[in-house]
Amino acid sequence: MQSRMDGMDGVIIKTAGISKEFSGVYVLKDINVEIRRGEVFGIVGENGAGKSTFIKILGGTYTPSEGQIFFDGKPVHIRDAGVAKRIGIAMIPQEVNLVSDLNVYENIFLGNEYRVGAWLLDKKKMMSKARELLHDLHTDIAPDERIDRLSVAQKRMVEIAKAITHDPKVLIMDEPTASLTQYEIDVLLDLMRRLKERGVTVIFISHRLKEVKRVCDRVMVLRDGETVSIDSATDLSEHEIAKRMVGRELDTIFPEKVEAQGTTVLRVEGLSVKGVLHDVSFDLKKGEILGFAGLIGAGRTELAEALIGVRRKTSGKILVHDKECVVNSPGDAIRHGIAYLSEDRQGIGILTSFNLVANTTLVSLGKYCRLLINARKEREKARFYVDAFNIKAPSIETRLEFLSGGNQQKVSLAKSLDPGPEVFILDEPTRGIDVNAKKEIYDFIRQLVMSGISCILISSELEEIIGMCSRVAVMRDGRIAGILEGDRICEEEIMYYATGLKGRAS
Amino acid sequence: MNIRAIPKKMVPKRLDYERFGSLYALILLFIISSIASPYFLQLQNILNILRQVSYTGIIALGMTFVIISGGIDLSVGSMTALVGGIVILTLNKFGGEIGEIGAIVVAIVVGMLLGLVGGAANGLIITVGKVAPFVATLGTMAIFRSLTLYISNAGEFRSASSMYPELGMGDLIGIPVPVWIMLGLAVVFHIVLTRTRYGRYVCAVGSNERVARYAAIKTEVIRFTSYLVVGLTVAVSAVLLSSRLNSISSTNAGLNFELDAIAAVIIGGTPLTGGSGTIPGTVFGAIILGIINNMLNMLGVSPYLQGTVKGLVIIGAVLIQGKRR
Ligand SMILES: Nc1ncnc2c1ncn2[C@@H]1O[C@H](COP(=O)(O)OP(=O)(O)OP(=O)(O)O)[C@@H](O)[C@H]1O
Ligand SMILES: [Mg+2]
């Protein structure tokens, strides 16, 4: 692959001895790196390795405790996001950061509105420009849609559109592909290549090593805040990258599949939700992992939300152990043994201002109190999950806002699991989780299933669906297009149904 | 466990402020005041301050719950007047029939119920009617005051009882009854907020209502009950106030109580956006306001300027909190 443009071989960002401490603890140590103009620079590492911290320093969210950044050869002090923007650094943070009361185009142009004269906003121009940008990204999001009505993946696309409006010289993306499906990922990777051709430098963080290898020119591996290596991506295999991240050899990632145990635990009949779900029927056996695949907007999260009672059903029945249940609120769902892990970590999953303990027991708090909360019991349980999921945190009293994205995700998982559900709906359970921790979570899910819990696994990572599930329902336009079993669970077959080449027409 | 290499001292600074900031401010103010005026440290003066702040301090305790859950209640002042007035009417009505003690008990019960009804009205408008708390309670603030004026013909509710004032004027081992009640309620509320499911849920709802809803918390119920809590504290305060004065002025009683109560909560470190907060902080906040008033009086500052100082203190507290964020 021809990786650099001739004559533009210069270094755009150079860091010299960058370190960052939070209250005396170094989470980044002595990072020296030269990022070249027009390259795609990958950063990988375990959860909590310091990836987000590093790019937040480049993007002006944090200032380094020590060290110096050079931009275009000149030393710069990136005091805040404004400075970063002025010198041409755009950043898409790990967590969606849009104003949910505004609509799509208002968010895209927030702070850079087009004007007619000095005061009036040029809405028309912004609308059409936004439509153009979104069209470029191959999404059909309407520019005047309100943000809070978009899915996580759609919000992600809006963030990307927002970041590229200002023609940045450097575009930093922190796990942009988490929760995107293969189709959008392809669009995004293609966009990255196009940007690169225009001489834009892209810094890219991801836990999906396959795409890192596909799109990056060079890859930096971080471990515990230190640089392990910086190498050309072509010289590295996925396996090798993973090994460097973890610091030891990794074995196969997916555990052996478990046979379902026969009896039907959950049956859904003719479930419809106005505008998003049409006549969805399926059943879930004891100890089964039923996968749900499909493109963005296929209605998988909406289905989960209907099952836990946050979306009003227009028709259909939910039967647990052959008994019809009324599920009109998450409380009802919990009572019938249905738990949900949301794909939207910070919007739905966890309370960032609560500590690890209080988040863990948020749903199941009833188990921990008579009149007063039994603090000791609660803390013991939190410690149990810290060990089980290897959660990296300063202490169990730490507020979640100070945990890395992947570690927040693990807490979210613990929270949903703690009520002891019979049916566990996992919506993107490994979003933002590193390869090693992923394996631990897969093993854990397998243990759950072996102990008789049934899982519904919604995932945009086909590999995960294929590796974990004994049956896969493929959704398209709010319907189940087909249910695959055995050998038919493979990438091509799933994509056929997901895109409508096979299965019932919508 | 996997708490590797990151020592305990990384506890975020804002937590410290939330917990202790108002205490530090109180201590500082205390020292300054005792230097500025030798009279300040006299027991009688201290007790006076405590008694003066107890009426709005009690309301501030309930207000803490409302604000943590993400709401606000502007109607507490006029509700105090309305409840106080009706308590006195009840007292006068039953005084002749069932004896004074009986009448006092009945009046207090009526007062408490009325406080709950007032709180429930606010809560229903906000949760069922989906009206923003600020607007809803701005409306009921006007309504409660107007009802008070109407019932009393813009005059005064006067109690005929001679025993009733003993409640509000009395003391126990030298400390006034309202102070005891404020401290007692503070202990109870503190335990409820930090050690019970309800308290945890109040914080969760204020922190992120959506997360709370998905976590199977009945967010509307939690929000509704927080207005009941503040209604109850208003009733307690109204009883104490009316018994101390043995009367309630329909135009003046409870005036600006909402300001003082909200100020105490905010100075106590509870952010107006909700999600977290402490009861001790609110108590300290209330006492800080009391000491400031007391000092301004002693230093002979015009009473008309005292509002300015109070306003500056509130703004300053919020500024400091914003900086810490
Ligand atoms: N504001 C903060 N205050 C204190 N500690 C922090 C703060 N931000 C991050 N940390 C700590 O720094 C470490 C690195 O976090 P960072 O978010 O950079 O990890 P990451 O590599 O992006 O991980 P992930 O893959 O999970 O997103 C973590 O242990 C985290 O707890
Ligand atoms: Mg991160």
Side-chain angles (χ1 to χ4, degrees), chain B residues 194-322:
Chain B
T194 55
R195 301 281 309 278
T196 69
R197 217 166 145 184
Y198 177 69
R200 181 75 62 82
Y201 286 172
V202 167
C203 296
V205 169
S207 173
N208 187 330
E209 175 155 16
R210 201 145 166 243
V211 173
R213 190 151 37 83
Y214 274 78
I217 296 171
K218 295 197 175 71
T219 56
E220 304 290 71
V221 175
I222 300 292
R223 273 163 18 114
F224 174 77
T225 45
S226 74
Y227 290 94
L228 293 188
V229 171
V230 78
L232 205 59
T233 56
V234 166
V236 171
S237 178
V239 166
L240 291 172
L241 191 70
S242 61
S243 100
R244 170 158 177 84
L245 306 169
N246 216 12
S247 70
I248 283 286
S249 144
S250 62
T251 45
N252 279 329
L255 211 60
N256 289 341
F257 271 24
E258 62 283 344
L259 180 73
D260 283 11
I262 295 169
V265 175
I266 291 173
I267 294 171
T270 302
L272 252 190
T273 44
S276 61
T278 67
I279 291 289
T282 297
V283 174
F284 299 146
I287 298 176
I288 287 174
L289 284 174
I291 294 183
I292 291 175
N293 262 345
N294 182 260
M295 280 316 291
L296 294 175
N297 279 335
M298 281 199 290
L299 298 177
V301 177
S302 154
Y304 301 124
L305 268 181
Q306 293 183 3
T308 308
V309 177
K310 201 185 286 176
L312 288 175
V313 170
I314 298 172
I315 293 168
V318 174
L319 276 179
I320 294 172
Q321 287 173 29

Side-chain angles (χ1 to χ4, degrees), chain A residues 47-48 50-53 55-56 94 174-175 205 207 404-406 432:
Chain A
N47 294 132
K51 305 178 297 293
S52 298
T53 307
I55 57 113
K56 279 181 188 163
Q94 184 164 9
D174 195 350
E175 296 189 33
I205 297 179
H207 286 294
S404 82

Side-chain angles (χ1 to χ4, degrees), chain A residues 22-23 25 224 305 308 310 330-331 334 344 346-351 353-354 358 361-363 365-366 369 371-373 378 383 386-387 390-396 399 402, chain B residues 1-15 18 191-192 194-198 200-201 203-205 207-218 275-276:
Chain A
F22 290 109
S23 326
V25 183
D224 291 333
E305 289 181 340
I308 60 157
V310 287
I334 296 284
D344 185 359
Q346 293 208 336
I348 293 173
I350 52 162
L351 290 168
S353 65
F354 271 38
T361 58
L362 192 61
V363 189
L365 195 56
C369 37
L371 190 60
L372 300 183
I373 298 170
E378 206 188 13
R383 286 214 186 84
V386 166
D387 285 338
N390 215 358
I391 298 172
K392 242 181 265 177
S395 93
I396 53 172
R399 294 194 193 199
F402 301 112
Chain B
M1 63 191 287
N2 194 359
I3 300 296
R4 58 184 201 209
I6 310 183
K8 274 259 163 61
K9 70 172 184 177
M10 211 199 68
V11 178
K13 294 220 172 62
R14 188 161 72 91
L15 258 183
E18 225 170 64
I191 292 173
V192 170
T194 55
R195 301 281 309 278
T196 69
R197 217 166 145 184
Y198 177 69
R200 181 75 62 82
Y201 286 172
C203 296
V205 169
S207 173
N208 187 330
E209 175 155 16
R210 201 145 166 243
V211 173
R213 190 151 37 83
Y214 274 78
I217 296 171
K218 295 197 175 71
S276 61

